[in-house]
Amino acid sequence: MAIDTQTVKRIAFLSRLRVEDDKIAAAEEEFNKILDWVEQLQEVPTDDVEPLISVNENHLVLRRDEVTEGNQAEAVLANAPMKEYGYFAVPKVVE
């Protein structure tokens, strides 16, 4: 399948992209290169390849969540530039 000028304009319209007239030929060439590359990928034999669930083969070890240090609201808020009612306070940004 080859991409022509009309198809480039249609893709640009559907993508809500503005492609200048002098750039359409370059976009057409780039789209055709991409399609050629996809055709090359389809020629790769993948019959005996199992699908990947993840690219990492490591299994993550899960651990129980444990609270180690809690009830330190005062220490956490000690360096806060603004605090109110035991919480961080931030400037109002929306009127």
Side-chain angles (χ1 to χ4, degrees):
M1 175 181 174
I3 301 289
D4 59 354
T5 303
Q6 288 303 108
T7 307
V8 171
K9 288 180 181 179
R10 178 86 173 135
I11 291 170
F13 173 77
L14 293 173
S15 303
R16 304 294 191 256
L17 298 172
R18 181 181 5 204
V19 180
E20 303 296 332
D21 291 336
D22 59 334
K23 304 285 185 187
I24 289 178
E28 181 180 336
E29 183 179 332
E30 191 68 27
F31 281 141
N32 284 318
K33 284 182 184 178
I34 292 169
L35 289 176
D36 290 341
W37 182 71
V38 170
E39 286 178 12
Q40 287 179 355
L41 282 178
Q42 290 177 344
E43 294 174 5
V44 174
T46 58
D47 296 334
D48 298 329
V49 178
E50 292 185 30
L52 287 176
I53 295 173
S54 173
V55 294
N56 298 325
E57 293 186 16
N58 298 338
H59 298 286
L60 298 176
V61 178
L62 301 178
R63 61 173 173 77
R64 295 183 54 85
D65 289 335
E66 296 178 11
V67 177
T68 54
E69 295 182 28
N71 298 327
Q72 295 190 8
E74 294 170 4
V76 171
L77 291 173
N79 292 326
M82 294 177 14
K83 53 191 166 199
E84 191 173 308
Y85 306 112
Y87 295 99
F88 291 104
V90 296
K92 185 175 181 179
V93 294
V94 177
E95 299 278 338

